[in-house]
Each structure stands twice: as structure tokens, then as C-alpha cells.
Amino acid sequence: MTRFVFRRHPLRFLFLLLAALASIPVGIGAEAYDFRCRWCAMAEQARAALAAGDETETSPNYSPSREVDILHLALDLTPDFRKRTIAGTATLRFKPIAKALDELKLDAEAMTIASVTATESLPRWHYDDHRLVLTFDPPVPADRETTVTITYATEPRQGLYFRTPEMGYRPEDEHLWTQGEPIESRHWFPCFDAPNEKFTSEVTCRVPSGMVVRSNGRLVSSTADAASGLTAVRWLQDKPHVTYLICLVAGKLQGIEDKHRDIPLAFWTPVSQAAYARNSFRDTRGMMEFFEREIGVPYPWAKYDQIVVDDYSWGGMENTSITVLTAGTLFADGHDPVRSSRSLVAHELAHQWFGDLVTCRDWSHLWLNEGFATYYDALQGREQLGRDEFLLAMHENAQSVLSSTDGTPIVWRNYAKPVDQFGYRAYPKGAWVLHMLRSQLGEDLFRRCVTTYLQRHAYGVVETTDLQKVIEELSGRSFDRFFDQWLHHGHHPELQIRYSWDEKSRLAKLSIAQTQKLTPTVMLFDVPLPVRFTVGSNTIDRVLRVHSKSEDFHIALPAAPDLVRIDPEYTVLAKVKMDVPDAMLRRQLANTNDLIGRFIAVEVLEARRDAAAIERLRSTLNSDPFHAVRSDAAAALRSIHSDEAFQALTNSVAQPDPRVRIAVLRAINGFYRDAVGPIALGVLGRETQPDVRIAAVRLLANPGLTNGSQQLLRWMTTNSFREEITETALESLRQREDPTVAPDVLAFMRTRGQDLPTKVQADGLATLAWLYRNADDKSAAREYLVSRVNDLRPGVRRAVISALGTLGDPQAIPVVETFARAGKSTPEQAAAAAAVTRMRENRRPAAELGDLRREVTDLQKENRELKAEFEGLRKQLDALVPARTNPPAKPTSRRTLTSPRK
């Protein structure tokens, strides 16, 4: 399953979804965002809480007992699109394991159970809105095949989601979709909702004529019923899978098709979005060919569907033979190479083997699903895009891990909720564990291990030791320490390295210290650390075993090395700090065969912040052969934040790669300069690439542009793909904090707000509340927000509630409290509770805050003017004072000139 996170590389896309269960969709324009990293905001918040010292105790979580072996599940469902309900039956066939069964417990949330029948004596059953308990008397003997049929109805709060015209969606796009992982299936059918049980399944869905129904496995029948006017479509998944992988998508869909060998491939979208399908679908067949070749196991299911749905709460979900994708992955022509669905499509397709064919036994071993999918996404990127793109993917994965101070192991049972496991540990760190294994075993042996692991556990469940056993069996090596330190302990090595050269002995010395804080879950690591010395035209490689707190290594070399590179092939997940001589740094930055080395060099130059560093960064920005290094150079210049850095950026706007053009504009936007406005207007006047134009619109928020608010109001009403320019303009107006445009935003939201995509509406509502929050009269904004509080789109509803909290008008408290006091825990309830707290505190930001900000920017401007005036006076003085053979020291001259300024 895929989550979104802020990224830079190839998938640069539309928006960042917040946590799946309680998020408010936030629009962030079309800047560079990637689907590759896929953990949720909720998990990131949990990680931050841990880092801040939140020591909330949680009990270990274990797999539930399997008292029965479920053989088959049959669902027969009739959705009511007007009422947004479903009614149907769930028929479960099973056999008790080992002993007679007197009670069968099933998960079932907020359902109306009409009847329960069974092939064995079932005198009673009990349902408490959460669990359905069936009591057999006499108990069902072990191994006796038994069938129960449950007739039920529900209006799902989770698990199954309607997208209908009454909710504000296009009539031609009406549809429903389901989400099972981690534990949402219980909201739309009674089930054993845990990943340690596999069974075959079938889904029959009865829909109005003309609607499309897609589900797991193969299509068995489609039968029209003249009496009801409905068509019953039956799908059968005749290979075992777990509960959370059962899927149903039904509605007004349009598809395109392809084939890999005898496997049908299809890509479906809501009808109005069909024109964009091919851009996202085009690589699927080639990906499947690559994965079969690389993994060594044929694609294991009858077909492969990919279906785009509206307002999906994740990036993608790898249900067996049918992946559900966010509509955000679609893009129009002209957005290449800034946007691509490659990473998302590859990740979810890899899951058909890793997560579907073999599935983690419980959520503590989630990395076996997500780490493999993340790593094989990167491997497929290497196949399609080249080695540097692979290294970039692993570099970004590494940065996501190395930025953490969290000591939680990858395999961890003490989580509060299963969704908490969907974080950096399972995704990028899991991918790096596999990359290190591949590096140590070699590609061929690693491939054999993976193939054997899948074949041995096909259609079964696995835990981490299952992978370790295969690796040790085929390699003949012990991997106890590797798995212990990387999977059952947390964090990563932090290496402080000092280099020196002894000319007399011709020895290079590397002093290496492990500086990570040791705790019960963080240990000293034992890692093979490759080092490469370049001496003239010769390359000398050594592998150092780093395993102590501090140790020295001496390496004999024929002469002083021109370059020393730690881990040159990028095979160890470690945070490395090492100072190198300037000459080495120049060579490292110039080495076009060493992408990671150039990233490191840019980071070092950013920290130096001197004129020489700025010039090298400017040169890198304009000459490096790889787009991501150039983008990093732009970000480094922004960080340096000097006049010289700004000049280097403004002289580098004309980049051949739109990804770098975006990076330069984003960097320029980090400066307050009068020149920013003309740059933005110049780009908007000549640029045709849509994503670059969006980045230029964002520049209009810069306080250096005096008429920026009026410019943004014009762009706010500009039509664009998915209204992304409108979204960016609304965000930028919020950033400018200009309350004079609040009535304009309110008028726009009144006339067009409800027609905007959900995430754009959420941005508009947030901007409206932000601009009115300090107003003396908030009634107009409050009345509009209250009128939208019962919007049928959950994302909009949560956005309205949150906006009322931002607005801070106590008169809205009674309205918001109706959500805060809801009987059941819902995302709206959480948002409402937070909003009520903010309104009651009524901590209105000081009215002087805006004045203070303007004062600061005015002072910055005055400072630059004074600097320019000083330079002019100095030149005049130099012209008036006769030249001397021995001129006075510069400090004396400067002191005389600057003292009046003090």
C-alpha cells in the first residue's frame, strides 16, 4: 500500500494526503511530489512523538488464534448509491482446527444483522456493533466443513466509500470503492480481519445496468435481472488471499486494455478522466515482464486491473489482481518529466508478489510487504531509467531514514494501532535492508534467495525468520547479527570519520567512531564499510569491518590519494560525517560517475557558505549532468541566502530540464527581493510547461512583489488541470497574509467552491479562515463555513470543521460541538474536538503580528539600500583620495566609514 510524502524525484505530483483515518486533504499545487515514499502523516507524527520523548506504554500485539481454517468466503452485495448503503449476504465456509468449535467470532462494525444460518446447529448468536459471536451447540467437530450465512446491511463509515452526485462528484463518474488494509474490511462485511488467514473468495455485486463491476480474480458471470433492473456481476478469486486484499470497485468507469502473455491487463478510470489513463498505464506491461524476470516467479493471478478512484485515502492498494489508485496519479500531456505514475504503478505491481502471494503474518512484519515493494520499485526504475535514478531513489530513501532519531526496530510489536506501522521503518528502511543484503550476497545469489522464499511460501503467510532461513540455507552464512541489528534493533550507524595521510610511512589513516546514542533498542553496529582510494589513475578498494565504538584503520598506499570515498557503491545505510581536503572535494564534485559523491559534495559546499562555495554551486547548477544534483545545488544556494547566492539563482533560471527550473524558482522564492516579482512574471509570460508555471505562480506570494495579492486573485480564477493553479493561488494568498483580499476569496468560494476538487476546496476553506482570523467582524466567513459544515464529502467536512477552528469565532462553537460530541470516534470528531479547543482558547494572534512582519521586510529592504549607499560612498571616497604607495589598512578605512552608521 502506498502513502504520500514530500519528495523531490521522478514522481513529483499533485498533493500530499494527510493520515488516512483523520486527514484533511491539502492541496499543494503541482510542485515536485513523489509517490515513491509512502508512509502516512499519522505514522510520521507518531515518530516525532517518540523522538520528543513520548513514552506512552503500549502492549505487544500478536497474531490472533486461528481456531478455524477458513476455506472460502462468498459475498453477495447490493449497493444503494442514493442512500450510500449496502445490503447483502456473507457466506463463510470453514473447518475447525484441532478441536471442536463452540464459538466463532467475526469482526463486524456498525452493521444491522438480519439473520444468521448455518449447516450445523446454531441456537444463538450475539452482536454488539463490533463483533459477531456465533454459538454452536453441540460444538462443531474438528475438520468438519461448515457453512454459515449472514444477512446484513450497513452504511459504512470506513472500508467502502461512495462517490455520488449528491456528494458533489460528477454524475458521469459515480462509483464506489473499498479499502481493506489494515483493518477496514470489517466495516463492509463480517470477517476474520487479520492477515494470518488465507482463503479463496468470490464477490457478486448487483448494480444498475451500464455500471462496471471489478473485483478479485476472474469474471465468472454477468446476469441481468429484468425484475429489479440490476445486473449481477460475479467474480471468483480461486487462489487464497487474506481478508484485507478483498476488493470491490463498481460504477461508471471506462477502461483501456493490454496483455502480458495470457494475462489481461486493464486500466480503469471514472469516465470523465479516461483521457489521462494512458499516461499512467503505459509502462505496466514492461514492468510485469521485468518483475517476472527479476523475481523468478511468474505473475501469480488471473488478471491485473488498475483502477483510479476519486478522493482515495492512500496512494494505492495492491489487492490481489486489482490495484486501486488515487486519481492524483493521473496527469495530462505536457507534464513529463515532472510527473509520472511509474513509481506508484511499480510499487503496487511488486506487491502482487510481496504482500499478496506471500503476506506478512502480522503487522509487526509489515516490512516484508512494504520494504520489498519499495525496493523493487527502485530496481524497476533502474531497469527503465538507469543506474543514477536507482541511486537517487535509494539516496532519498536513506535520507528519510537517517533524518530520524527514533530507535524503534523495524520488527516491532508495541504499536498502538496497525496503521502506526505504515511508516519509514517498513518502507525506505525495509528497502535498505534488502539493498544491503543484495550488496553482501551479490545479485545472483540474492535473486535465488528471493525466488526460493516466494516459491516456498507461495499463497501463505510469512514472518522475518522465514526470509532469514532461506538466505542462510542458500548462502551457507549466518545472518543472525545482520537481522538482529537491522530488524530487531532500531536506528542506524552514525559514523564520525577522520582522514589523515602519513607521507613518511605512506599510510592513510581512517579513525572511525560510532556516535549513535546506545539504548536498549539501539546497539553498536557491525558493518562491512567499503572505502575507495584514488591514486592517480589507479583505484584501490578496501572493506573495513566497523564494529567498535572507536577504531583506527591504516591502509598502505603507493602515494597520497587524490580522493577518498566512503562507501562508493552506496551499500551501507549509515549517517557519515567526514571532512576532506578541498582538492578532494573538487574532484568528488567533478566525478560524473559518482552521483552520491556529488550529492555529498553539494551538502559540504552548502555548509561552507563562502564565495568559492557559491561559485561551485552555481557551476554545478548549470553544468551537472543529472537533474537532481542541479536541483540540490539550487536548494543549497537558497540555504546560503546571500546576495551572491540569489544572483547565482537568478542567472540560472533558464534550465533545460523543467524539474530543475522548478527547483530554481522554489529556491528564489526563499528570498525577499524586489527582483522576485519580475522573475515570476517573466516565467509566466514565456513558460509552457504546466508545473513550472505553477511554481511561478507560487512566487507571487513573495513579499517583495507589491501587487502580488492582486496577481494571485487573477490566477485564482484561472482554469487548469485539476484546478491546480487555483489551488496554488489560494495557498499563496494564505502565505501572503493580506486580509484585504479576504472578501474576494469569500466571494470566489461562494460561487465556485463547491465545484472544485476536494483538496482544492480544502485549501480554499483554510485560506478563507486564515485571512479572516484577525478580522473584527468574522460573521460573513463564519456563516459561509457553517453553511458547508454538513457537506457530504468527508474531506470537505473535515476541512470546514478545521477552518472554523482556525477562524476562532466562539459563535461557531455550538455547531462544531455537535461533531465533537458524536457518539463514535470518527475523523470529524477528532477535527471538531481540536477546533473547539482552539475556539475556546480564542488565542487571537496579536494584531501587530502582520505589522511586525512588514516592519522586518522593510528593514531588510532598507539594509540593502544602505549597503548600496555605502558602496557608492566608498567608490566616491576612493576617487577623491589620491593614490598612495602605502595606503592605510582596510580595517581603518572601514571603521572610519561605518562608525556613523552605528
Side-chain angles (χ1 to χ4, degrees):
M1 183 162 55
T2 302
R3 291 283 196 185
F4 295 111
V5 74
F6 181 89
R7 301 290 287 173
R8 176 195 60 198
H9 175 59
L11 225 14
R12 315 209 170 190
F13 219 65
L14 309 175
F15 61 98
L16 179 64
L17 294 178
L18 295 184
L21 300 181
S23 68
I24 299 170
V26 283
I28 50 178
E31 295 220 25
Y33 298 92
D34 193 351
F35 291 111
R36 174 176 284 117
C37 282
R38 4 184 97 76
W39 54 94
C40 62
M42 182 182 294
E44 291 303 287
Q45 290 165 0
R47 183 179 78 169
L50 285 170
D54 183 353
E55 297 181 354
T56 303
E57 290 293 330
T58 54
S59 301
N61 296 273
Y62 301 98
S63 300
S65 296
R66 292 175 59 247
E67 295 181 339
V68 301
D69 180 15
I70 299 175
L71 305 174
H72 187 74
L73 171 67
L75 299 176
D76 191 328
L77 306 174
T78 302
D80 186 326
F81 284 84
R82 303 286 71 78
K83 296 179 179 178
R84 296 181 294 282
T85 61
I86 59 170
T89 61
T91 301
L92 198 67
R93 182 159 49 87
F94 64 90
K95 293 191 301 185
I97 299 173
K99 65 178 184 178
L101 178 76
D102 58 354
E103 283 189 343
L104 176 65
K105 302 179 181 69
L106 298 174
D107 299 298
E109 291 286 341
M111 296 179 183
T112 299
I113 307 296
S115 66
V116 183
T117 61
T119 55
E120 297 293 320
S121 175
L122 183 69
R124 59 189 179 276
W125 52 269
H126 174 72
Y127 178 58
D128 64 2
D129 281 344
H130 305 289
R131 176 165 286 193
L132 176 62
V133 180
L134 314 182
T135 301
F136 296 96
D137 189 11
V140 180
D143 292 327
R144 177 177 293 178
E145 193 168 300
T146 304
T147 299
V148 297
T149 299
I150 304 159
T151 303
Y152 69 101
T154 183
E155 183 179 351
R157 292 179 178 270
Q158 293 175 242
L160 187 147
Y161 301 85
F162 288 91
R163 299 294 181 249
T164 68
E166 294 84 356
M167 301 173 72
Y169 297 92
R170 291 174 178 264
E172 67 270 29
D173 291 346
E174 184 171 44
H175 61 281
L176 65 80
W177 50 267
T178 64
Q179 170 65 32
E181 193 178 32
I183 50 171
E184 289 194 43
S185 296
R186 63 185 67 189
H187 292 271
W188 64 285
F189 64 91
C191 59
F192 179 82
D193 205 0
N196 62 324
E197 174 69 21
K198 288 197 170 187
F199 48 87
T200 59
S201 68
E202 62 184 277
V203 175
T204 300
C205 185
R206 302 171 189 274
V207 295
S209 176
M211 282 193 171
V212 172
V213 175
R214 309 296 291 184
S215 188
N216 310 87
R218 57 185 175 85
L219 179 63
V220 175
S221 64
S222 179
T223 306
D225 180 5
S228 66
L230 302 178
T231 299
V233 183
R234 179 174 172 241
W235 287 86
L236 173 66
Q237 176 56 280
D238 56 7
K239 296 177 180 178
H241 59 162
V242 298
T243 298
Y244 75 77
L245 294 173
I246 294 176
C247 174
L248 171 64
V249 182
K252 298 175 181 178
L253 306 172
Q254 186 171 326
I256 56 177
E257 297 179 345
D258 199 352
K259 182 171 283 191
H260 166 62
R261 294 187 287 103
D262 59 342
I263 300 168
L265 310 176
F267 194 96
W268 299 84
T269 69
V271 172
S272 72
Q273 302 169 52
Y276 311 119
R278 197 163 298 280
N279 290 338
S280 296
F281 180 61
R282 61 193 177 199
D283 297 324
T284 303
R285 176 158 48 88
M287 289 178 181
M288 190 171 285
E289 292 171 355
F290 167 75
F291 282 138
E292 287 192 334
R293 184 171 67 252
E294 175 64 32
I295 294 170
V297 175
Y299 177 77
W301 313 102
K303 62 129 181 14
Y304 189 55
D305 276 355
Q306 296 172 87
I307 306 184
V308 165
V309 299
D310 281 335
D311 284 350
Y312 191 49
S313 51
W314 300 71
M317 180 62 217
E318 66 279 5
N319 313 292
T320 53
S321 79
I322 174 172
T323 285
V324 178
L325 302 171
T326 171
T329 195
L330 299 175
F331 59 97
D333 293 340
H335 286 272
D336 291 316
V338 176
R339 305 191 189 198
S340 168
S341 296
R342 187 212 61 79
S343 181
L344 176 63
V345 171
H347 180 98
E348 304 304 334
L349 180 55
H351 267 310
Q352 298 297 316
W353 288 266
F354 307 107
D356 291 6
L357 179 62
V358 294
T359 308
C360 63
R361 184 173 181 266
D362 62 54
W363 303 116
S364 68
H365 299 281
L366 178 66
W367 83 279
L368 293 171
N369 294 10
E370 300 299 348
F372 267 98
T374 303
Y375 189 51
Y376 277 77
D377 158 19
L379 290 176
Q380 194 282 326
R382 184 182 69 171
E383 171 78 5
Q384 183 173 331
L385 303 173
R387 182 173 181 270
D388 277 356
E389 292 289 353
F390 169 76
L391 289 174
L392 175 59
M394 297 310 297
H395 176 66
E396 293 184 331
N397 285 331
Q399 297 310 302
S400 300
V401 178
L402 300 179
S403 63
S404 168
T405 58
D406 178 15
T408 306
I410 290 179
V411 179
W412 180 247
R413 296 192 179 277
N414 291 62
Y415 52 86
K417 302 179 294 295
V419 74
D420 296 344
Q421 293 292 86
F422 290 79
Y424 80 99
R425 293 176 293 114
Y427 291 82
K429 191 173 184 182
W432 256 97
V433 167
L434 295 170
H435 183 56
M436 290 186 288
L437 284 169
R438 185 184 177 98
S439 300
Q440 292 187 26
L441 293 168
E443 291 193 6
D444 291 340
L445 180 54
F446 177 82
R447 193 176 292 114
R448 282 179 52 211
C449 291
V450 170
T451 302
T452 303
Y453 162 76
L454 288 174
Q455 291 173 336
R456 187 168 294 175
H457 300 286
Y459 305 107
V461 296
V462 289
E463 52 190 27
T464 301
T465 54
D466 294 315
L467 177 63
Q468 181 180 348
K469 288 175 183 177
V470 169
I471 291 173
E472 291 184 337
E473 175 187 327
L474 296 186
S475 69
R477 296 164 51 186
S478 170
F479 276 81
D480 278 346
R481 186 175 186 108
F482 180 96
F483 276 74
D484 187 38
Q485 67 186 7
W486 288 111
L487 291 152
H488 301 292
H489 284 78
H491 206 56
H492 48 265
E494 297 182 24
L495 305 179
Q496 183 71 51
I497 302 178
R498 289 183 289 109
Y499 160 78
S500 62
W501 171 254
D502 187 326
E503 181 62 33
K504 184 176 180 180
S505 62
R506 295 193 176 183
L507 289 176
K509 179 182 177 182
L510 291 174
S511 299
I512 304 179
Q514 294 195 48
T515 61
Q516 68 270 16
K517 182 181 178 180
L518 304 182
T519 71
T521 61
V522 179
M523 62 193 299
L524 283 174
F525 283 79
D526 189 333
V527 296
L529 184 66
V531 182
R532 176 168 295 164
F533 301 92
T534 301
V535 183
S537 59
N538 297 320
T539 296
I540 300 168
D541 287 336
R542 295 287 185 269
V543 177
L544 312 179
R545 182 193 172 197
V546 176
H547 66 287
S548 299
K549 182 71 174 174
S550 179
E551 45 201 326
D552 294 333
F553 299 88
H554 297 84
I555 301 95
L557 299 172
D562 301 307
L563 183 61
V564 179
R565 274 284 283 118
I566 305 298
D567 191 21
E569 299 299 324
Y570 211 38
T571 60
V572 179
L573 179 63
K575 180 181 288 187
V576 177
K577 293 183 179 179
M578 176 179 171
D579 292 328
V580 297
D582 191 66
M584 286 190 182
L585 188 68
R586 287 199 302 271
R587 290 186 176 89
Q588 187 168 314
L589 188 62
N591 187 352
T592 57
N593 295 317
D594 185 4
L595 177 68
I596 302 302
R598 303 203 304 280
F599 280 138
I600 295 170
V602 167
E603 184 178 354
V604 172
L605 291 172
E606 177 184 343
R608 291 187 177 180
R609 313 179 77 84
D610 56 22
I614 291 171
E615 174 54 29
R616 289 186 204 168
L617 289 170
R618 184 205 62 77
S619 176
T620 301
L621 173 56
N622 289 281
S623 63
D624 194 275
F626 194 63
H627 67 90
V629 178
R630 299 202 298 277
S631 296
D632 264 19
L637 288 166
R638 172 182 176 170
S639 175
I640 291 173
H641 211 266
S642 68
D643 288 345
E644 294 77 11
F646 181 73
Q647 191 64 46
L649 288 165
T650 59
N651 291 339
S652 305
V653 172
Q655 294 284 335
D657 191 311
R659 292 168 291 191
V660 186
R661 296 204 294 278
I662 291 171
V664 171
L665 292 177
R666 291 178 60 198
I668 287 173
N669 203 20
F671 292 79
Y672 168 64
R673 298 288 190 274
D674 292 341
V676 171
I679 290 171
L681 296 176
V683 172
L684 288 169
R686 66 176 180 270
E687 183 64 61
T688 59
Q689 211 284 342
D691 300 293
V692 182
R693 287 173 63 81
I694 288 172
V697 170
R698 198 174 295 278
L699 278 182
L700 299 175
N702 194 284
L705 185 62
T706 55
N707 66 338
S709 295
Q710 296 306 312
Q711 293 277 355
L712 286 168
L713 287 176
R714 182 172 69 84
W715 287 101
M716 180 181 69
T717 60
T718 301
N719 294 325
S720 61
F721 177 71
R722 294 197 183 283
E723 307 299 346
E724 291 167 349
I725 289 179
T726 295
E727 178 184 12
T728 303
L730 287 166
E731 288 178 349
S732 300
L733 285 167
R734 184 162 72 247
Q735 183 181 341
R736 280 187 70 87
E737 298 211 40
D738 180 358
T740 65
V741 300
D744 300 279
V745 174
L746 177 57
F748 174 77
M749 291 300 293
R750 279 174 171 160
T751 56
R752 285 193 55 192
Q754 290 180 273
D755 298 327
L756 298 171
T758 299
K759 63 192 181 74
V760 185
Q761 286 196 52
D763 261 312
L765 294 164
T767 296
L768 177 67
W770 185 258
L771 295 178
Y772 268 101
R773 76 193 190 286
N774 291 327
D776 293 329
D777 183 2
K778 304 179 181 181
S779 59
R782 184 192 68 245
E783 289 168 4
Y784 172 73
L785 290 172
V786 169
S787 74
R788 300 290 312 279
V789 78
N790 289 314
D791 194 287
L792 292 177
R793 296 193 192 192
V796 174
R797 195 161 57 245
R798 293 193 295 271
V800 171
I801 293 169
S802 181
L804 285 168
T806 299
L807 184 65
D809 188 341
Q811 292 189 53
I813 289 177
V815 175
V816 180
E817 277 189 330
T818 63
F819 292 90
R821 293 173 178 171
K824 295 183 178 181
S825 178
T826 64
E828 288 85 1
Q829 184 187 43
V836 168
T837 299
R838 280 183 287 167
M839 286 188 286
R840 281 182 173 154
E841 290 174 350
N842 198 20
R843 293 176 180 169
R844 174 176 171 175
E848 304 87 58
L849 187 59
D851 294 335
L852 180 60
R853 179 173 179 175
R854 284 188 288 274
E855 245 182 85
V856 170
T857 56
D858 289 343
L859 286 171
Q860 290 174 330
K861 184 176 182 180
E862 182 183 352
N863 184 55
R864 286 195 304 277
E865 292 170 350
L866 289 173
K867 183 177 179 181
E869 184 181 344
F870 166 76
E871 290 298 324
L873 289 171
R874 184 182 63 77
K875 292 176 181 177
Q876 293 176 39
L877 184 62
D878 289 345
L880 291 172
V881 177
R884 303 181 185 179
T885 305
N886 296 303
K890 286 184 178 179
T892 303
S893 173
R894 287 187 177 179
R895 190 162 51 248
T896 302
L897 287 172
T898 57
S899 57
R901 298 290 184 199
K902 294 181 182 178

